[in-house]
């Protein structure tokens, strides 16, 4: 067996390369830096991804998808204020 790792030798849980001692917060800071100046495009992409996921699951996970979308928006600072025609928050 060359080039493949057995299940026993694969890391469990977290990715191997955390990007240094900063861990997850360092990653979020890097993402925030990339988002800066492109908030509208990010928001649009997140909205489309959430809509597609909701459609593909037949609305079964709508609440979880909405919550995830909101949490991501909060983390990235891309949460837009509610607008006319938006679904009411549950």
């Amino acid at each position: 067996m060359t080039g493949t790792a057995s299940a026993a030798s694969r890391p469990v849980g977290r990715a191997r390369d955390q990007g240094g001692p900063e861990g997850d917060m360092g990653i979020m800071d890097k993402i925030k830096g990339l988002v800066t100046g492109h908030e509208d495009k990010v928001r649009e992409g997140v909205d489309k991804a959430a809509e597609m996921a909701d459609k593909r699951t037949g609305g079964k996970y709508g609440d979880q998808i909405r919550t995830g979308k909101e949490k991501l928006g909060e983390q990235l600072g891309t949460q837009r204020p509610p607008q006319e025609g938006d679904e009411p928050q549950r």
Side-chain angles (χ1 to χ4, degrees):
M1 257 191 342
T2 58
T4 60
S6 69
S9 67
R10 288 190 204 129
V12 177
R14 298 173 80 64
R16 239 182 252 204
D17 182 13
Q18 292 289 316
E22 68 272 3
D24 292 336
M25 289 311 295
I27 292 169
M28 286 307 295
D29 289 339
K30 288 177 186 178
I31 292 171
K32 287 178 185 179
L34 293 171
V35 168
T36 303
H38 306 284
E39 292 85 355
D40 290 340
K41 290 291 182 185
V42 171
R43 185 179 305 118
E44 184 179 313
V46 170
D47 287 345
K48 283 183 181 181
E51 184 179 321
M52 183 177 71
D54 195 35
K55 186 176 182 178
R56 286 200 166 182
T57 60
K60 183 176 180 179
Y61 301 102
D63 289 339
Q64 291 91 335
I65 291 168
R66 253 184 310 286
T67 298
K69 181 177 131 180
E70 290 168 6
K71 297 275 185 197
L72 181 60
E74 290 168 10
Q75 283 291 315
L76 298 176
T78 59
Q79 196 66 18
R80 68 173 170 79
Q83 297 185 0
E84 216 174 295
D86 284 350
E87 287 186 31
Q89 296 294 320
R90 295 183 205 178

Coordinates of all heavy atoms in Angstrom, one line a residue:
M1 N 0.8 -1.2 0.0 CA 0.0 0.0 0.0 C 0.9 1.2 0.0 O 1.5 1.6 1.0 CB -0.8 0.0 1.3 CG -2.2 -0.4 1.0 SD -3.5 -0.2 2.1 CE -3.4 0.0 3.6
T2 N 0.9 1.9 -1.1 CA 1.7 3.2 -1.1 C 0.8 4.3 -1.4 O -0.1 4.2 -2.2 CB 2.8 3.1 -2.2 OG1 2.1 2.9 -3.5 CG2 3.8 2.0 -2.0
G3 N 1.1 5.4 -0.7 CA 0.3 6.6 -0.9 C -1.0 6.7 -0.2 O -1.7 7.7 -0.3
T4 N -1.3 5.7 0.6 CA -2.6 5.8 1.3 C -2.3 5.6 2.8 O -1.4 4.9 3.2 CB -3.6 4.7 0.9 OG1 -3.1 3.4 1.1 CG2 -4.0 4.9 -0.6
A5 N -3.1 6.2 3.6 CA -2.9 6.1 5.1 C -4.1 5.2 5.6 O -5.2 5.3 5.1 CB -3.0 7.5 5.8
S6 N -3.7 4.3 6.5 CA -4.7 3.5 7.1 C -5.6 4.3 8.0 O -5.2 5.4 8.5 CB -4.1 2.3 7.9 OG -3.5 2.8 9.0
A7 N -6.8 3.8 8.3 CA -7.7 4.6 9.2 C -7.0 4.8 10.6 O -7.3 5.9 11.2 CB -9.0 3.8 9.4
A8 N -6.2 3.9 11.0 CA -5.6 4.1 12.3 C -4.5 5.2 12.3 O -4.3 5.8 13.4 CB -4.9 2.8 12.8
S9 N -3.9 5.5 11.2 CA -2.9 6.6 11.2 C -3.4 7.9 10.8 O -2.7 8.9 10.9 CB -1.8 6.2 10.2 OG -2.3 6.2 8.9
R10 N -4.7 8.0 10.5 CA -5.3 9.3 10.1 C -5.6 10.1 11.4 O -6.0 9.5 12.4 CB -6.6 9.2 9.3 CG -6.3 8.7 7.9 CD -7.6 8.8 7.1 NE -7.5 7.8 6.0 CZ -8.4 6.9 5.7 NH1 -9.5 6.8 6.4 NH2 -8.2 6.1 4.7
P11 N -5.5 11.5 11.3 CA -5.8 12.3 12.5 C -7.3 12.2 12.7 O -8.1 12.1 11.8 CB -5.4 13.7 12.1 CG -5.3 13.7 10.6 CD -5.0 12.3 10.2
V12 N -7.7 12.3 14.0 CA -9.1 12.2 14.4 C -9.6 13.6 14.8 O -8.9 14.2 15.6 CB -9.3 11.2 15.5 CG1 -10.8 11.2 15.9 CG2 -8.9 9.8 15.0
G13 N -10.7 14.0 14.4 CA -11.3 15.3 14.9 C -10.8 16.5 14.1 O -11.4 16.9 13.1
R14 N -9.7 17.0 14.5 CA -9.2 18.3 14.0 C -8.3 18.0 12.8 O -7.6 17.0 12.8 CB -8.5 19.1 15.1 CG -9.5 19.4 16.2 CD -8.8 20.1 17.4 NE -8.5 21.5 17.3 CZ -9.4 22.4 17.2 NH1 -10.6 22.2 17.1 NH2 -9.0 23.7 17.1
A15 N -8.2 19.0 12.0 CA -7.3 18.9 10.8 C -5.8 18.9 11.3 O -5.5 19.5 12.4 CB -7.5 20.1 9.9
R16 N -5.0 18.3 10.5 CA -3.6 18.2 10.9 C -2.9 19.6 11.0 O -2.3 19.9 12.0 CB -2.8 17.5 9.8 CG -2.1 16.3 10.4 CD -1.4 15.6 9.3 NE -2.1 14.4 8.9 CZ -1.6 13.4 8.4 NH1 -0.4 13.4 8.0 NH2 -2.3 12.3 8.1
D17 N -3.1 20.4 10.0 CA -2.4 21.8 10.0 C -3.4 22.8 10.5 O -4.4 23.1 9.8 CB -1.9 22.1 8.6 CG -1.2 23.4 8.6 OD1 -0.9 23.9 9.6 OD2 -1.0 23.9 7.4
Q18 N -3.2 23.3 11.7 CA -4.1 24.3 12.2 C -3.6 25.8 11.9 O -4.2 26.7 12.3 CB -4.1 24.2 13.8 CG -4.8 23.0 14.2 CD -6.3 23.0 14.0 OE1 -6.9 24.0 14.2 NE2 -6.9 21.9 13.5
G19 N -2.5 25.9 11.2 CA -2.0 27.2 10.8 C -1.2 27.9 11.9 O -1.1 29.1 11.9
G20 N -0.8 27.1 12.8 CA 0.1 27.7 13.9 C -0.7 27.7 15.2 O -1.7 27.2 15.3
P21 N 0.0 28.4 16.2 CA -0.6 28.3 17.5 C -1.9 29.1 17.7 O -2.6 28.9 18.7 CB 0.5 29.0 18.4 CG 1.3 29.8 17.4 CD 1.2 29.1 16.1
E22 N -2.3 29.9 16.7 CA -3.5 30.6 16.9 C -4.8 29.8 16.7 O -5.9 30.2 17.1 CB -3.6 31.8 15.9 CG -3.7 31.5 14.4 CD -2.3 31.3 13.7 OE1 -1.3 31.3 14.4 OE2 -2.4 31.0 12.5
G23 N -4.7 28.6 16.0 CA -5.8 27.7 15.9 C -6.9 28.3 15.1 O -6.8 29.0 14.2
D24 N -8.2 28.0 15.6 CA -9.4 28.4 14.9 C -9.5 29.9 14.8 O -10.0 30.4 13.8 CB -10.6 27.8 15.6 CG -10.6 26.3 15.4 OD1 -10.0 25.8 14.4 OD2 -11.3 25.6 16.2
M25 N -9.2 30.6 15.8 CA -9.4 32.1 15.8 C -8.5 32.7 14.7 O -8.9 33.7 14.1 CB -9.1 32.7 17.2 CG -10.2 32.4 18.2 SD -11.9 32.7 17.6 CE -11.9 34.4 17.4
G26 N -7.3 32.2 14.5 CA -6.5 32.7 13.5 C -7.1 32.5 12.1 O -7.0 33.4 11.2
I27 N -7.7 31.4 11.9 CA -8.4 31.1 10.7 C -9.6 32.1 10.5 O -9.7 32.7 9.4 CB -8.9 29.7 10.6 CG1 -7.8 28.7 10.6 CG2 -9.9 29.4 9.5 CD1 -8.1 27.2 10.8
M28 N -10.4 32.4 11.5 CA -11.5 33.3 11.4 C -10.9 34.7 11.1 O -11.5 35.4 10.3 CB -12.3 33.3 12.6 CG -13.2 32.1 12.8 SD -14.3 31.8 11.4 CE -15.3 33.2 11.3
D29 N -9.8 35.1 11.7 CA -9.3 36.4 11.4 C -8.8 36.5 10.0 O -9.0 37.5 9.3 CB -8.1 36.7 12.3 CG -8.5 36.9 13.8 OD1 -9.7 37.3 14.0 OD2 -7.7 36.7 14.7
K30 N -8.2 35.4 9.4 CA -7.8 35.4 8.0 C -9.0 35.5 7.1 O -9.0 36.3 6.1 CB -7.0 34.1 7.7 CG -5.7 34.1 8.4 CD -4.9 32.8 8.1 CE -3.6 32.7 8.9 NZ -2.9 31.5 8.6
I31 N -10.1 34.8 7.4 CA -11.3 34.8 6.6 C -11.9 36.2 6.6 O -12.3 36.8 5.6 CB -12.3 33.8 7.0 CG1 -11.7 32.4 6.7 CG2 -13.6 34.0 6.4 CD1 -12.6 31.2 7.3
K32 N -12.0 36.8 7.8 CA -12.5 38.2 8.0 C -11.7 39.1 7.1 O -12.2 40.0 6.5 CB -12.5 38.6 9.4 CG -13.5 37.9 10.3 CD -13.5 38.4 11.7 CE -14.4 37.6 12.6 NZ -14.3 38.0 14.0
G33 N -10.4 39.0 7.1 CA -9.5 39.8 6.3 C -9.8 39.7 4.8 O -9.8 40.7 4.0
L34 N -10.1 38.5 4.4 CA -10.4 38.2 3.0 C -11.8 38.8 2.6 O -12.0 39.2 1.5 CB -10.4 36.7 2.6 CG -9.0 36.1 2.7 CD1 -9.2 34.6 2.6 CD2 -8.1 36.6 1.6
V35 N -12.7 38.8 3.6 CA -14.1 39.2 3.3 C -14.2 40.8 3.3 O -15.0 41.3 2.5 CB -15.0 38.7 4.4 CG1 -16.4 39.4 4.4 CG2 -15.2 37.2 4.3
T36 N -13.3 41.4 4.0 CA -13.4 42.9 4.1 C -13.4 43.5 2.7 O -12.6 43.3 1.9 CB -12.2 43.4 4.9 OG1 -12.2 42.8 6.2 CG2 -12.2 44.9 5.0
G37 N -14.4 44.3 2.5 CA -14.6 45.0 1.2 C -15.5 44.2 0.2 O -15.8 44.7 -0.9
H38 N -15.8 42.9 0.6 CA -16.6 42.1 -0.3 C -17.8 41.5 0.4 O -18.3 40.5 0.1 CB -15.7 40.9 -0.8 CG -14.5 41.4 -1.5 ND1 -14.4 41.9 -2.7 CD2 -13.2 41.4 -1.0 CE1 -13.2 42.2 -3.0 NE2 -12.4 41.9 -2.0
E39 N -18.3 42.2 1.4 CA -19.3 41.8 2.3 C -20.6 41.4 1.5 O -21.2 40.4 1.8 CB -19.7 42.8 3.4 CG -18.6 42.9 4.4 CD -17.5 43.9 4.1 OE1 -17.5 44.5 2.9 OE2 -16.6 44.2 4.9
D40 N -20.9 42.2 0.5 CA -22.2 42.0 -0.2 C -22.1 40.7 -1.0 O -23.0 39.9 -1.1 CB -22.5 43.1 -1.2 CG -22.9 44.4 -0.5 OD1 -23.4 44.3 0.7 OD2 -22.8 45.5 -1.1
K41 N -20.9 40.4 -1.6 CA -20.7 39.2 -2.4 C -20.7 37.9 -1.5 O -21.3 36.9 -1.8 CB -19.4 39.2 -3.2 CG -19.4 40.2 -4.3 CD -20.3 39.7 -5.4 CE -20.3 40.6 -6.6 NZ -21.3 40.2 -7.6
V42 N -20.1 38.1 -0.3 CA -20.1 37.0 0.7 C -21.6 36.7 1.1 O -22.0 35.6 1.2 CB -19.2 37.3 1.9 CG1 -19.4 36.2 3.0 CG2 -17.8 37.3 1.4
R43 N -22.3 37.7 1.5 CA -23.7 37.6 1.9 C -24.5 36.9 0.8 O -25.3 36.0 1.1 CB -24.2 39.0 2.3 CG -25.6 38.9 2.8 CD -26.2 40.3 3.2 NE -25.3 41.0 4.1 CZ -24.7 42.2 3.8 NH1 -25.0 42.8 2.6 NH2 -24.0 42.8 4.6
E44 N -24.3 37.4 -0.4 CA -25.0 36.8 -1.5 C -24.7 35.3 -1.7 O -25.6 34.5 -1.9 CB -24.6 37.5 -2.8 CG -25.4 37.1 -4.0 CD -24.9 37.9 -5.3 OE1 -24.9 39.1 -5.1 OE2 -24.7 37.3 -6.3
G45 N -23.4 34.9 -1.5 CA -23.0 33.5 -1.6 C -23.6 32.7 -0.5 O -24.1 31.5 -0.7
V46 N -23.6 33.2 0.7 CA -24.1 32.5 1.8 C -25.6 32.3 1.7 O -26.2 31.2 1.9 CB -23.8 33.2 3.2 CG1 -24.6 32.6 4.3 CG2 -22.3 33.1 3.4
D47 N -26.3 33.3 1.2 CA -27.8 33.3 1.0 C -28.1 32.2 0.0 O -29.0 31.4 0.2 CB -28.3 34.6 0.5 CG -28.4 35.6 1.6 OD1 -28.3 35.3 2.8 OD2 -28.6 36.8 1.3
K48 N -27.3 32.2 -1.1 CA -27.6 31.2 -2.2 C -27.3 29.7 -1.7 O -28.1 28.8 -2.0 CB -26.7 31.5 -3.4 CG -27.2 32.6 -4.2 CD -26.4 32.8 -5.5 CE -26.9 34.0 -6.3 NZ -26.1 34.1 -7.5
A49 N -26.2 29.6 -0.9 CA -25.9 28.3 -0.4 C -27.0 27.8 0.6 O -27.4 26.6 0.5 CB -24.5 28.3 0.3
A50 N -27.4 28.7 1.4 CA -28.5 28.3 2.4 C -29.8 27.9 1.7 O -30.4 27.0 2.0 CB -28.7 29.4 3.4
E51 N -30.1 28.7 0.6 CA -31.3 28.4 -0.1 C -31.2 27.1 -0.8 O -32.2 26.3 -0.8 CB -31.5 29.6 -1.2 CG -32.8 29.4 -2.0 CD -33.0 30.6 -2.9 OE1 -32.6 31.7 -2.6 OE2 -33.4 30.3 -4.1
M52 N -30.1 26.8 -1.4 CA -29.9 25.5 -2.1 C -29.9 24.3 -1.1 O -30.6 23.3 -1.4 CB -28.5 25.5 -2.8 CG -28.4 24.2 -3.6 SD -26.8 24.2 -4.6 CE -25.6 24.0 -3.3
A53 N -29.3 24.5 0.0 CA -29.3 23.4 1.0 C -30.8 23.2 1.5 O -31.2 22.0 1.7 CB -28.4 23.8 2.2
D54 N -31.5 24.3 1.7 CA -32.9 24.1 2.2 C -33.7 23.4 1.2 O -34.5 22.6 1.5 CB -33.4 25.5 2.6 CG -34.7 25.4 3.4 OD1 -34.8 24.5 4.2 OD2 -35.6 26.3 3.2
K55 N -33.5 23.8 -0.1 CA -34.3 23.2 -1.2 C -33.9 21.7 -1.3 O -34.8 20.9 -1.5 CB -34.0 23.9 -2.5 CG -34.8 23.5 -3.7 CD -34.5 24.4 -4.9 CE -35.3 24.0 -6.1 NZ -35.1 24.8 -7.2
R56 N -32.7 21.4 -1.3 CA -32.2 20.0 -1.4 C -32.7 19.1 -0.3 O -32.8 17.9 -0.5 CB -30.7 19.9 -1.6 CG -30.3 20.4 -2.9 CD -28.9 19.8 -3.2 NE -28.6 20.0 -4.6 CZ -27.5 19.6 -5.2 NH1 -26.6 19.0 -4.5 NH2 -27.3 19.8 -6.5
T57 N -32.9 19.7 0.9 CA -33.4 18.9 2.0 C -34.9 19.0 2.2 O -35.4 18.5 3.2 CB -32.7 19.3 3.3 OG1 -33.0 20.7 3.6 CG2 -31.2 19.1 3.2
G58 N -35.5 19.6 1.2 CA -37.0 19.7 1.3 C -37.5 20.5 2.5 O -38.6 20.3 2.9
G59 N -36.7 21.4 3.0 CA -37.1 22.3 4.1 C -37.0 21.6 5.4 O -37.2 22.2 6.5
K60 N -36.5 20.3 5.4 CA -36.5 19.5 6.7 C -35.5 20.1 7.7 O -35.8 20.0 8.9 CB -36.0 18.1 6.3 CG -36.0 17.1 7.5 CD -35.6 15.7 7.0 CE -35.6 14.8 8.2 NZ -35.3 13.4 7.8
Y61 N -34.5 20.8 7.2 CA -33.5 21.3 8.1 C -33.5 22.9 8.1 O -32.4 23.5 8.3 CB -32.1 20.8 7.8 CG -32.1 19.3 8.0 CD1 -32.1 18.4 6.9 CD2 -32.0 18.7 9.2 CE1 -32.1 17.1 7.0 CE2 -32.0 17.3 9.4 CZ -32.0 16.5 8.2 OH -32.0 15.1 8.4
G62 N -34.6 23.5 7.7 CA -34.6 24.9 7.5 C -34.2 25.7 8.7 O -33.5 26.7 8.5
D63 N -34.6 25.3 9.9 CA -34.3 26.1 11.1 C -32.8 26.0 11.3 O -32.2 27.0 11.6 CB -35.0 25.5 12.3 CG -36.5 25.8 12.3 OD1 -36.9 26.8 11.6 OD2 -37.2 25.1 13.0
Q64 N -32.2 24.8 11.1 CA -30.7 24.7 11.4 C -29.9 25.4 10.3 O -28.9 26.1 10.6 CB -30.3 23.2 11.3 CG -30.8 22.4 12.5 CD -32.2 21.7 12.2 OE1 -33.0 22.2 11.4 NE2 -32.5 20.7 13.0
I65 N -30.4 25.4 9.1 CA -29.7 26.2 8.0 C -29.8 27.7 8.3 O -28.8 28.4 8.1 CB -30.4 25.8 6.6 CG1 -30.0 24.4 6.3 CG2 -29.9 26.8 5.5 CD1 -30.8 23.8 5.1
R66 N -31.0 28.2 8.7 CA -31.1 29.6 9.0 C -30.2 30.0 10.2 O -29.5 31.0 10.1 CB -32.6 29.9 9.4 CG -33.3 30.7 8.3 CD -34.7 31.1 8.7 NE -35.5 30.0 9.3 CZ -36.1 29.0 8.5 NH1 -35.9 29.0 7.2 NH2 -36.8 28.1 9.1
T67 N -30.2 29.1 11.2 CA -29.3 29.4 12.4 C -27.8 29.4 11.9 O -27.1 30.3 12.3 CB -29.5 28.3 13.5 OG1 -30.9 28.4 13.9 CG2 -28.6 28.6 14.6
G68 N -27.4 28.5 11.1 CA -26.0 28.4 10.7 C -25.7 29.7 9.8 O -24.6 30.3 10.0
K69 N -26.6 30.1 9.0 CA -26.4 31.3 8.1 C -26.3 32.5 9.0 O -25.4 33.3 8.8 CB -27.6 31.4 7.2 CG -27.6 32.6 6.3 CD -28.8 32.5 5.4 CE -29.4 33.9 5.3 NZ -30.6 33.9 4.5
E70 N -27.1 32.6 10.1 CA -27.0 33.8 11.0 C -25.7 33.8 11.7 O -25.1 34.8 11.9 CB -28.2 33.7 11.9 CG -29.5 34.1 11.2 CD -30.7 33.8 12.1 OE1 -30.6 33.4 13.3 OE2 -31.9 33.9 11.6
K71 N -25.3 32.6 12.2 CA -24.1 32.5 13.0 C -22.9 32.9 12.2 O -22.0 33.6 12.6 CB -23.9 31.1 13.6 CG -24.9 30.7 14.6 CD -24.6 31.2 15.9 CE -25.7 30.6 16.9 NZ -25.7 31.3 18.1
L72 N -22.9 32.4 10.9 CA -21.8 32.7 10.0 C -21.7 34.2 9.8 O -20.7 34.9 9.8 CB -21.9 32.0 8.7 CG -20.8 32.2 7.7 CD1 -19.5 31.8 8.2 CD2 -21.1 31.4 6.4
G73 N -22.9 34.8 9.5 CA -23.0 36.2 9.3 C -22.5 37.0 10.5 O -21.8 38.0 10.3
E74 N -22.8 36.6 11.7 CA -22.3 37.2 12.9 C -20.8 37.1 13.0 O -20.1 38.1 13.3 CB -22.9 36.6 14.2 CG -24.4 36.9 14.3 CD -25.1 36.0 15.4 OE1 -24.3 35.3 16.1 OE2 -26.3 36.0 15.5
Q75 N -20.2 36.0 12.7 CA -18.8 35.8 12.8 C -18.1 36.6 11.8 O -17.0 37.2 12.1 CB -18.4 34.3 12.6 CG -18.7 33.4 13.8 CD -17.8 33.7 14.9 OE1 -16.6 33.9 14.7 NE2 -18.3 33.8 16.1
L76 N -18.6 36.7 10.6 CA -17.9 37.4 9.5 C -18.3 38.9 9.5 O -17.8 39.7 8.7 CB -18.2 36.8 8.2 CG -17.7 35.3 8.1 CD1 -18.1 34.8 6.7 CD2 -16.2 35.3 8.2
G77 N -19.3 39.3 10.3 CA -19.8 40.7 10.2 C -20.5 41.0 9.0 O -20.5 42.1 8.5
T78 N -21.2 40.0 8.4 CA -21.9 40.2 7.1 C -23.4 40.2 7.3 O -24.1 40.1 6.4 CB -21.5 39.2 6.1 OG1 -21.8 37.9 6.6 CG2 -20.0 39.3 5.7
Q79 N -23.9 40.2 8.6 CA -25.3 40.1 8.8 C -26.0 41.3 8.4 O -25.6 42.4 8.8 CB -25.5 39.8 10.3 CG -26.9 39.3 10.6 CD -27.2 37.9 10.1 OE1 -26.3 37.2 9.7 NE2 -28.4 37.6 10.0
R80 N -26.9 41.3 7.5 CA -27.6 42.4 7.0 C -28.9 42.6 7.8 O -29.4 41.6 8.3 CB -27.9 42.4 5.5 CG -28.9 41.3 5.1 CD -29.3 41.4 3.7 NE -30.0 40.3 3.2 CZ -31.3 40.2 3.4 NH1 -32.0 41.1 4.1 NH2 -32.0 39.1 2.9
P81 N -29.3 43.8 8.0 CA -30.6 44.0 8.7 C -31.7 43.4 7.9 O -31.7 43.3 6.7 CB -30.7 45.5 8.7 CG -29.7 46.1 7.8 CD -28.7 45.0 7.5
P82 N -32.8 43.0 8.6 CA -34.0 42.4 7.9 C -34.5 43.4 6.9 O -34.5 44.6 7.1 CB -35.0 42.1 9.0 CG -34.2 42.1 10.3 CD -33.0 43.0 10.0
Q83 N -35.0 42.9 5.8 CA -35.5 43.7 4.7 C -36.9 43.3 4.4 O -37.3 42.2 4.7 CB -34.6 43.7 3.5 CG -33.3 44.3 3.8 CD -32.4 44.4 2.5 OE1 -32.8 44.0 1.4 NE2 -31.2 44.9 2.7
E84 N -37.7 44.2 3.7 CA -39.0 43.9 3.3 C -39.0 42.6 2.5 O -38.2 42.4 1.6 CB -39.6 45.0 2.5 CG -41.1 45.3 2.8 CD -41.5 46.5 2.1 OE1 -41.0 47.6 2.4 OE2 -42.3 46.4 1.2
G85 N -40.0 41.7 2.8 CA -40.1 40.4 2.0 C -39.3 39.3 2.6 O -39.4 38.1 2.2
D86 N -38.4 39.5 3.7 CA -37.7 38.5 4.3 C -38.7 37.7 5.2 O -39.7 38.2 5.6 CB -36.6 39.1 5.3 CG -35.4 39.5 4.5 OD1 -35.3 39.3 3.3 OD2 -34.6 40.2 5.1
E87 N -38.3 36.4 5.4 CA -39.1 35.5 6.2 C -38.9 36.0 7.7 O -37.8 36.4 8.1 CB -38.6 34.1 6.2 CG -39.0 33.4 4.9 CD -38.6 31.9 4.9 OE1 -38.6 31.3 6.0 OE2 -38.3 31.4 3.9
P88 N -40.0 36.0 8.5 CA -39.9 36.4 9.9 C -39.0 35.4 10.6 O -39.0 34.2 10.3 CB -41.3 36.4 10.4 CG -42.1 35.6 9.4 CD -41.4 35.6 8.1
Q89 N -38.3 35.9 11.6 CA -37.4 35.1 12.5 C -38.3 34.2 13.4 O -39.3 34.7 13.9 CB -36.5 35.9 13.3 CG -35.5 36.7 12.5 CD -34.5 35.8 11.8 OE1 -34.1 34.8 12.3 NE2 -34.2 36.2 10.6
R90 N -37.9 33.0 13.6 CA -38.7 32.1 14.4 C -38.0 31.9 15.8 O -36.9 32.0 15.9 CB -38.8 30.7 13.8 CG -39.6 30.7 12.6 CD -39.8 29.3 12.0 NE -40.0 29.5 10.6 CZ -40.1 28.4 9.8 NH1 -40.1 27.2 10.3 NH2 -40.4 28.6 8.5

